[in-house]
Amino acid sequence: MGVIFARMERDQAAKRITELGEQLERHNHLYYVEARPEISDQEFDFLMKELEALEKQYPELASPNSPTQRVGGDITKAFPTVAHRWPMLSLDNSYSREEVADFVHRVEREAGPVRFVMELKYDGVAISLAYRNGELVRGVTRGDGEQGEDITANVRTVRTIPLHLRDQPPADLEARGEIIMGLREFESLNLEREKQGEERFANPRNTTAGTLKLQDPKLVARRRLQNFIYDLYTATPPSRSHYDNIMQARAWGFRTPDPHKRFIARANGLEDIMDFIAHWDKARHGLDIAIDGVVIKVDDLGVREDLGLRAKSPRWAIAYKFPAENKATRLNGVEFNVGRTGAVTPVALLEPVELAGTTVKRASIHNADQIAKLDLHFGDMVQVEKGGEIIPKITGVDLARRPAGAVAVRYPANCPECGTPLVRDEGEAQHYCPNEHGCPPQITRRIEHFVGRKAMDIGGLGGETVEALYQAKLIGNVADLYDLKQEQLLAMGKGWGERSTQLIIEGIAASRSVPFERVLFALGIRHVGETVAKKIAREAGSIDRLAAMAREELTGISEVGAVIADSIIDFFAAEGNRRIVHRLREAGVQMTGSANHQRPQSGLLKGLSVVVSGVFKTFTRDGIKLAIEDNGGRVSGSISKKTSFVVAGADMGPAKLAKASELGVNVIDEEAFRRMIEP
Ligand code: IVH
């Protein structure tokens, strides 16, 4: 049905656009968030059409947060990377009620009796939503926790996310929550796909993640995603209670968990918590959304502050994961895979079985002890379980169904790839192939790791291409990559065209400017993951310095323990590794913190001991600590007589404030701190 609206004068149109925008947002909220619509779908569509027509007539009057954007705006060409103002942490997982009890006891030991809040753990995609003066300005994915992707246009299509807030929210507000796809929506999407002859999507979580990365917001809008908000960040939170803040967020227009449905509840102790878990262990099967557990959080923001954080998760919260799904199937064989570090892992080859929405054909068995413990025999009926982890595991064997004459599975004494006798370090569960520089899969997987996205990010190179180049004897280690010529790649034959080989050569060239911290991660030193590599790169500053560091110096770096320190020492002790590092440096790869990673140095805070507390507007927590150290100060964890001053952000705990005033320690805010370190 075509509807024709009369043309309007500009002033009048502007007024009407605002009016329609407000009405449509209100009805949208009533329909999607509160589930109590006041007008019919037809009336809603009619208002929307009127707004579309006016915006078409006066495009300059259309706001990016217009309700018309709910159905999808322009194509997004790329999703820019944005740093999070506050890191997006994850949660520690627990799988038993005992672990939950341990958590509660630890908290109570450290903080006295406290109130907890329990929520559902939504199995979707985390999102951070920034609002300025009540207007949605940005939606960013979690990414690696420190930076994520700006997917604002797609976020606007999620009907339960408010584009404008009401009731005077703080001018600067970040709401965090989970974007999810309802189970019915997921099922109908899959039915549609089947009809079109397309493959079914595996599960709602991956489908949500994939949907949010679509470049056409119109397609995103059609998928009917929804969300829940579970966290707020602002300099002026309305209350010191998380629960009350969530209720306030609801009044601002956010979709938050409903206490009447018991999606969120307060608890005064372990008994209430266990009761909530028991309730949802059963009741979750009746929900239209996928949840994978329950989250238990300390309610009081001040107590949270006192309990503090670990590297990637808060010490004031824990997730309890529901028991994983289980099925029995036959063990057809076992494969022994050799990884990048030489670790040999057994993988079970199974009779395919449907489990938690996916077809399972392989499962991990971890190590030799596990094979022995399960007493695995070929042909056994095994119990397969899929929990939070992506790869399912074998948890048991049905001895009664073992076929007669079944042969036991044996862990090999020699590397299945190169024949070298395997070794097992004292106290370690894993067997290793020690033939680091001669065992083919170790070599190729190290190179694959090196070129990976989080390491040197050499686009165009991946598992298959690396393997092919290794087979062709063009590369035998990561340094050889920098000697590759395009002619050599072109000569590889089919599949190695002008364009793709050029991309590889360009990718290799570009990797020369990858910052040192990622180079360090790329080297694949055992136990040196992304986070540790970052810390070490900052502390050591250069590879030469790192290679020269003594064990005690290494263990002095936060997050570096004896195991990591020894692994670093072993790495540099090997002549082969030193040669590779030398060749990489010759090739122009960054072996020191580069100019823009080198931090400014001053002595402005020399001799001062500084405590930081709370969340900051213009610094991440690591950022403010770095700023103190860069200016010669020392960061200390607790307030004492020796503390020179405290930098307080929002949410500084009352206990800390009291302590500071008792000891007469100065407390300054973020702006004052900035002025202090400004040159
Ligand atoms: S709170 C610092 N609450 O679980 C705490 N997270 O493993 C931040 N999640 O990335 C998270 N439901 O995506 C919180 N009610 C809930 C949640 C929840 C799901 C997700 C979230 C986070 C992951 C942590």
Side-chain angles (χ1 to χ4, degrees), residues 89-91 93 119-122 125-126 142 178 230-231 233 295 297 314 316:
L89 302 171
S90 57
L91 291 164
N93 288 325
E119 293 168 19
L120 298 181
K121 188 166 191 302
Y122 308 101
V125 175
R142 177 170 188 277
E178 199 87 349
Y230 51 62
D231 222 349
Y233 285 82
V295 185
K297 307 173 174 177
W316 43 259

PDB file of all heavy atoms in Angstrom, residues 89-91 93 119-122 125-126 142 178 230-231 233 295 297 314 316, ligand 1:
ATOM      1  N   LEU A  89      36.023  -6.980  31.275  1.00  0.00           N
ATOM      2  CA  LEU A  89      36.562  -8.166  31.937  1.00  0.00           C
ATOM      3  C   LEU A  89      35.696  -9.381  31.646  1.00  0.00           C
ATOM      4  O   LEU A  89      34.593  -9.259  31.138  1.00  0.00           O
ATOM      5  CB  LEU A  89      36.608  -7.920  33.440  1.00  0.00           C
ATOM      6  CG  LEU A  89      37.438  -6.722  33.867  1.00  0.00           C
ATOM      7  CD1 LEU A  89      37.244  -6.447  35.341  1.00  0.00           C
ATOM      8  CD2 LEU A  89      38.908  -6.951  33.554  1.00  0.00           C
ATOM      9  N   SER A  90      36.237 -10.541  31.978  1.00  0.00           N
ATOM     10  CA  SER A  90      35.366 -11.712  31.914  1.00  0.00           C
ATOM     11  C   SER A  90      35.175 -12.235  33.345  1.00  0.00           C
ATOM     12  O   SER A  90      35.611 -11.601  34.289  1.00  0.00           O
ATOM     13  CB  SER A  90      35.931 -12.764  30.978  1.00  0.00           C
ATOM     14  OG  SER A  90      37.205 -13.104  31.402  1.00  0.00           O
ATOM     15  N   LEU A  91      34.529 -13.365  33.453  1.00  0.00           N
ATOM     16  CA  LEU A  91      34.213 -13.885  34.781  1.00  0.00           C
ATOM     17  C   LEU A  91      34.952 -15.190  35.013  1.00  0.00           C
ATOM     18  O   LEU A  91      35.160 -15.963  34.088  1.00  0.00           O
ATOM     19  CB  LEU A  91      32.711 -14.168  34.875  1.00  0.00           C
ATOM     20  CG  LEU A  91      31.799 -12.953  34.872  1.00  0.00           C
ATOM     21  CD1 LEU A  91      30.363 -13.384  34.578  1.00  0.00           C
ATOM     22  CD2 LEU A  91      31.858 -12.239  36.203  1.00  0.00           C
ATOM     23  N   ASN A  93      34.969 -18.907  36.066  1.00  0.00           N
ATOM     24  CA  ASN A  93      33.920 -19.911  36.009  1.00  0.00           C
ATOM     25  C   ASN A  93      34.038 -20.901  37.152  1.00  0.00           C
ATOM     26  O   ASN A  93      35.137 -21.199  37.607  1.00  0.00           O
ATOM     27  CB  ASN A  93      34.018 -20.700  34.704  1.00  0.00           C
ATOM     28  CG  ASN A  93      33.579 -19.849  33.534  1.00  0.00           C
ATOM     29  OD1 ASN A  93      32.674 -19.030  33.667  1.00  0.00           O
ATOM     30  ND2 ASN A  93      34.223 -20.020  32.401  1.00  0.00           N
ATOM     31  N   GLU A 119      22.337 -13.204  38.955  1.00  0.00           N
ATOM     32  CA  GLU A 119      21.730 -12.938  37.648  1.00  0.00           C
ATOM     33  C   GLU A 119      21.891 -14.182  36.797  1.00  0.00           C
ATOM     34  O   GLU A 119      22.673 -15.064  37.119  1.00  0.00           O
ATOM     35  CB  GLU A 119      22.474 -11.775  36.961  1.00  0.00           C
ATOM     36  CG  GLU A 119      22.293 -10.454  37.660  1.00  0.00           C
ATOM     37  CD  GLU A 119      23.266  -9.395  37.146  1.00  0.00           C
ATOM     38  OE1 GLU A 119      23.816  -9.544  36.036  1.00  0.00           O
ATOM     39  OE2 GLU A 119      23.482  -8.426  37.883  1.00  0.00           O
ATOM     40  N   LEU A 120      21.201 -14.190  35.675  1.00  0.00           N
ATOM     41  CA  LEU A 120      21.409 -15.271  34.720  1.00  0.00           C
ATOM     42  C   LEU A 120      22.658 -14.962  33.914  1.00  0.00           C
ATOM     43  O   LEU A 120      23.014 -13.796  33.723  1.00  0.00           O
ATOM     44  CB  LEU A 120      20.212 -15.383  33.782  1.00  0.00           C
ATOM     45  CG  LEU A 120      18.895 -15.726  34.466  1.00  0.00           C
ATOM     46  CD1 LEU A 120      17.776 -15.825  33.437  1.00  0.00           C
ATOM     47  CD2 LEU A 120      19.052 -17.049  35.197  1.00  0.00           C
ATOM     48  N   LYS A 121      23.312 -16.006  33.446  1.00  0.00           N
ATOM     49  CA  LYS A 121      24.452 -15.792  32.564  1.00  0.00           C
ATOM     50  C   LYS A 121      23.965 -16.039  31.141  1.00  0.00           C
ATOM     51  O   LYS A 121      23.743 -17.179  30.731  1.00  0.00           O
ATOM     52  CB  LYS A 121      25.598 -16.734  32.917  1.00  0.00           C
ATOM     53  CG  LYS A 121      26.858 -16.407  32.140  1.00  0.00           C
ATOM     54  CD  LYS A 121      28.055 -17.102  32.731  1.00  0.00           C
ATOM     55  CE  LYS A 121      29.342 -16.592  32.135  1.00  0.00           C
ATOM     56  NZ  LYS A 121      29.429 -16.725  30.698  1.00  0.00           N
ATOM     57  N   TYR A 122      23.753 -14.953  30.436  1.00  0.00           N
ATOM     58  CA  TYR A 122      23.215 -15.025  29.077  1.00  0.00           C
ATOM     59  C   TYR A 122      24.297 -15.512  28.140  1.00  0.00           C
ATOM     60  O   TYR A 122      25.427 -15.044  28.183  1.00  0.00           O
ATOM     61  CB  TYR A 122      22.715 -13.646  28.634  1.00  0.00           C
ATOM     62  CG  TYR A 122      21.764 -13.057  29.645  1.00  0.00           C
ATOM     63  CD1 TYR A 122      22.184 -12.086  30.539  1.00  0.00           C
ATOM     64  CD2 TYR A 122      20.461 -13.524  29.738  1.00  0.00           C
ATOM     65  CE1 TYR A 122      21.338 -11.579  31.498  1.00  0.00           C
ATOM     66  CE2 TYR A 122      19.598 -13.029  30.698  1.00  0.00           C
ATOM     67  CZ  TYR A 122      20.045 -12.059  31.573  1.00  0.00           C
ATOM     68  OH  TYR A 122      19.213 -11.574  32.529  1.00  0.00           O
ATOM     69  N   VAL A 125      26.587 -12.356  23.088  1.00  0.00           N
ATOM     70  CA  VAL A 125      27.766 -11.576  22.745  1.00  0.00           C
ATOM     71  C   VAL A 125      27.768 -10.310  23.601  1.00  0.00           C
ATOM     72  O   VAL A 125      26.776  -9.586  23.644  1.00  0.00           O
ATOM     73  CB  VAL A 125      27.706 -11.189  21.246  1.00  0.00           C
ATOM     74  CG1 VAL A 125      28.850 -10.280  20.869  1.00  0.00           C
ATOM     75  CG2 VAL A 125      27.705 -12.451  20.392  1.00  0.00           C
ATOM     76  N   ALA A 126      28.888 -10.060  24.279  1.00  0.00           N
ATOM     77  CA  ALA A 126      28.958  -8.887  25.160  1.00  0.00           C
ATOM     78  C   ALA A 126      29.038  -7.603  24.326  1.00  0.00           C
ATOM     79  O   ALA A 126      29.662  -7.578  23.271  1.00  0.00           O
ATOM     80  CB  ALA A 126      30.183  -8.990  26.059  1.00  0.00           C
ATOM     81  N   ARG A 142      33.179  -6.708  22.654  1.00  0.00           N
ATOM     82  CA  ARG A 142      34.179  -6.898  23.699  1.00  0.00           C
ATOM     83  C   ARG A 142      35.590  -6.958  23.113  1.00  0.00           C
ATOM     84  O   ARG A 142      36.528  -6.438  23.696  1.00  0.00           O
ATOM     85  CB  ARG A 142      33.868  -8.202  24.444  1.00  0.00           C
ATOM     86  CG  ARG A 142      34.868  -8.520  25.495  1.00  0.00           C
ATOM     87  CD  ARG A 142      34.392  -9.674  26.347  1.00  0.00           C
ATOM     88  NE  ARG A 142      35.294  -9.846  27.463  1.00  0.00           N
ATOM     89  CZ  ARG A 142      36.432 -10.510  27.410  1.00  0.00           C
ATOM     90  NH1 ARG A 142      36.803 -11.056  26.280  1.00  0.00           N
ATOM     91  NH2 ARG A 142      37.209 -10.614  28.453  1.00  0.00           N
ATOM     92  N   GLU A 178      24.497  -8.080  27.244  1.00  0.00           N
ATOM     93  CA  GLU A 178      24.670  -9.192  26.322  1.00  0.00           C
ATOM     94  C   GLU A 178      23.627  -9.092  25.219  1.00  0.00           C
ATOM     95  O   GLU A 178      22.456  -8.870  25.512  1.00  0.00           O
ATOM     96  CB  GLU A 178      24.482 -10.494  27.120  1.00  0.00           C
ATOM     97  CG  GLU A 178      25.048 -11.699  26.478  1.00  0.00           C
ATOM     98  CD  GLU A 178      26.517 -11.935  26.819  1.00  0.00           C
ATOM     99  OE1 GLU A 178      27.164 -11.036  27.411  1.00  0.00           O
ATOM    100  OE2 GLU A 178      27.012 -13.014  26.472  1.00  0.00           O
ATOM    101  N   TYR A 230      23.610  -5.630  32.103  1.00  0.00           N
ATOM    102  CA  TYR A 230      23.979  -6.133  33.426  1.00  0.00           C
ATOM    103  C   TYR A 230      25.056  -5.314  34.126  1.00  0.00           C
ATOM    104  O   TYR A 230      25.561  -5.716  35.169  1.00  0.00           O
ATOM    105  CB  TYR A 230      24.384  -7.601  33.369  1.00  0.00           C
ATOM    106  CG  TYR A 230      25.418  -7.939  32.318  1.00  0.00           C
ATOM    107  CD1 TYR A 230      26.678  -7.381  32.363  1.00  0.00           C
ATOM    108  CD2 TYR A 230      25.126  -8.818  31.280  1.00  0.00           C
ATOM    109  CE1 TYR A 230      27.620  -7.681  31.402  1.00  0.00           C
ATOM    110  CE2 TYR A 230      26.058  -9.131  30.321  1.00  0.00           C
ATOM    111  CZ  TYR A 230      27.305  -8.564  30.393  1.00  0.00           C
ATOM    112  OH  TYR A 230      28.234  -8.848  29.445  1.00  0.00           O
ATOM    113  N   ASP A 231      25.433  -4.182  33.550  1.00  0.00           N
ATOM    114  CA  ASP A 231      26.498  -3.397  34.172  1.00  0.00           C
ATOM    115  C   ASP A 231      26.420  -1.940  33.727  1.00  0.00           C
ATOM    116  O   ASP A 231      26.052  -1.676  32.589  1.00  0.00           O
ATOM    117  CB  ASP A 231      27.850  -3.967  33.744  1.00  0.00           C
ATOM    118  CG  ASP A 231      28.826  -4.036  34.895  1.00  0.00           C
ATOM    119  OD1 ASP A 231      28.520  -3.451  35.946  1.00  0.00           O
ATOM    120  OD2 ASP A 231      29.876  -4.674  34.745  1.00  0.00           O
ATOM    121  N   TYR A 233      28.609   1.914  33.845  1.00  0.00           N
ATOM    122  CA  TYR A 233      29.826   2.652  34.174  1.00  0.00           C
ATOM    123  C   TYR A 233      29.543   4.136  34.032  1.00  0.00           C
ATOM    124  O   TYR A 233      29.136   4.587  32.972  1.00  0.00           O
ATOM    125  CB  TYR A 233      30.975   2.276  33.225  1.00  0.00           C
ATOM    126  CG  TYR A 233      31.561   0.935  33.533  1.00  0.00           C
ATOM    127  CD1 TYR A 233      30.957  -0.226  33.073  1.00  0.00           C
ATOM    128  CD2 TYR A 233      32.713   0.822  34.307  1.00  0.00           C
ATOM    129  CE1 TYR A 233      31.479  -1.465  33.365  1.00  0.00           C
ATOM    130  CE2 TYR A 233      33.254  -0.416  34.600  1.00  0.00           C
ATOM    131  CZ  TYR A 233      32.630  -1.549  34.122  1.00  0.00           C
ATOM    132  OH  TYR A 233      33.156  -2.771  34.422  1.00  0.00           O
ATOM    133  N   VAL A 295      25.300 -15.897  37.399  1.00  0.00           N
ATOM    134  CA  VAL A 295      26.420 -15.060  37.825  1.00  0.00           C
ATOM    135  C   VAL A 295      26.133 -14.560  39.234  1.00  0.00           C
ATOM    136  O   VAL A 295      25.026 -14.113  39.517  1.00  0.00           O
ATOM    137  CB  VAL A 295      26.610 -13.857  36.883  1.00  0.00           C
ATOM    138  CG1 VAL A 295      27.860 -13.079  37.278  1.00  0.00           C
ATOM    139  CG2 VAL A 295      26.711 -14.308  35.442  1.00  0.00           C
ATOM    140  N   LYS A 297      27.375 -11.853  42.051  1.00  0.00           N
ATOM    141  CA  LYS A 297      28.187 -10.645  42.161  1.00  0.00           C
ATOM    142  C   LYS A 297      27.986 -10.011  43.530  1.00  0.00           C
ATOM    143  O   LYS A 297      26.888 -10.066  44.072  1.00  0.00           O
ATOM    144  CB  LYS A 297      27.730  -9.598  41.125  1.00  0.00           C
ATOM    145  CG  LYS A 297      27.677 -10.081  39.718  1.00  0.00           C
ATOM    146  CD  LYS A 297      27.045  -9.024  38.810  1.00  0.00           C
ATOM    147  CE  LYS A 297      27.140  -9.495  37.367  1.00  0.00           C
ATOM    148  NZ  LYS A 297      26.491  -8.560  36.442  1.00  0.00           N
ATOM    149  N   PRO A 314      37.104  -9.871  37.714  1.00  0.00           N
ATOM    150  CA  PRO A 314      36.989  -9.268  39.044  1.00  0.00           C
ATOM    151  C   PRO A 314      37.038 -10.336  40.139  1.00  0.00           C
ATOM    152  O   PRO A 314      36.665 -11.482  39.901  1.00  0.00           O
ATOM    153  CB  PRO A 314      35.606  -8.614  39.008  1.00  0.00           C
ATOM    154  CG  PRO A 314      34.835  -9.368  37.992  1.00  0.00           C
ATOM    155  CD  PRO A 314      35.814  -9.917  37.006  1.00  0.00           C
ATOM    156  N   TRP A 316      35.237  -9.998  42.721  1.00  0.00           N
ATOM    157  CA  TRP A 316      33.959  -9.853  43.422  1.00  0.00           C
ATOM    158  C   TRP A 316      32.807 -10.548  42.706  1.00  0.00           C
ATOM    159  O   TRP A 316      31.648 -10.332  43.025  1.00  0.00           O
ATOM    160  CB  TRP A 316      33.642  -8.371  43.633  1.00  0.00           C
ATOM    161  CG  TRP A 316      33.913  -7.479  42.446  1.00  0.00           C
ATOM    162  CD1 TRP A 316      34.996  -6.674  42.257  1.00  0.00           C
ATOM    163  CD2 TRP A 316      33.097  -7.315  41.275  1.00  0.00           C
ATOM    164  NE1 TRP A 316      34.908  -6.017  41.053  1.00  0.00           N
ATOM    165  CE2 TRP A 316      33.756  -6.380  40.430  1.00  0.00           C
ATOM    166  CE3 TRP A 316      31.879  -7.858  40.850  1.00  0.00           C
ATOM    167  CZ2 TRP A 316      33.233  -5.990  39.192  1.00  0.00           C
ATOM    168  CZ3 TRP A 316      31.364  -7.469  39.619  1.00  0.00           C
ATOM    169  CH2 TRP A 316      32.049  -6.550  38.813  1.00  0.00           C
TER     170      TRP A 316
HETATM  171  S1  IVH B   1      29.127  -9.379  34.345  1.00  0.00           S
HETATM  172  C1  IVH B   1      33.213  -7.845  35.248  1.00  0.00           C
HETATM  173  N1  IVH B   1      26.782 -10.486  34.123  1.00  0.00           N
HETATM  174  O1  IVH B   1      29.802 -13.513  30.543  1.00  0.00           O
HETATM  175  C2  IVH B   1      32.028  -8.665  35.008  1.00  0.00           C
HETATM  176  N2  IVH B   1      28.425 -11.026  32.494  1.00  0.00           N
HETATM  177  O2  IVH B   1      32.646 -14.521  31.233  1.00  0.00           O
HETATM  178  C3  IVH B   1      31.558  -8.563  33.646  1.00  0.00           C
HETATM  179  N3  IVH B   1      27.648 -12.535  30.744  1.00  0.00           N
HETATM  180  O3  IVH B   1      31.855 -11.251  28.869  1.00  0.00           O
HETATM  181  C4  IVH B   1      30.487  -9.417  33.269  1.00  0.00           C
HETATM  182  N4  IVH B   1      25.596 -12.762  31.480  1.00  0.00           N
HETATM  183  O4  IVH B   1      29.483 -11.398  28.099  1.00  0.00           O
HETATM  184  C5  IVH B   1      28.018 -10.381  33.601  1.00  0.00           C
HETATM  185  N5  IVH B   1      24.644 -11.373  34.030  1.00  0.00           N
HETATM  186  C6  IVH B   1      25.855 -11.257  33.519  1.00  0.00           C
HETATM  187  C7  IVH B   1      26.246 -11.934  32.336  1.00  0.00           C
HETATM  188  C8  IVH B   1      27.546 -11.794  31.861  1.00  0.00           C
HETATM  189  C9  IVH B   1      26.460 -13.094  30.529  1.00  0.00           C
HETATM  190  C10 IVH B   1      28.844 -12.738  29.886  1.00  0.00           C
HETATM  191  C11 IVH B   1      29.550 -11.480  29.492  1.00  0.00           C
HETATM  192  C12 IVH B   1      30.983 -11.642  29.872  1.00  0.00           C
HETATM  193  C13 IVH B   1      31.077 -13.098  30.131  1.00  0.00           C
HETATM  194  C14 IVH B   1      32.076 -13.299  31.250  1.00  0.00           C
END
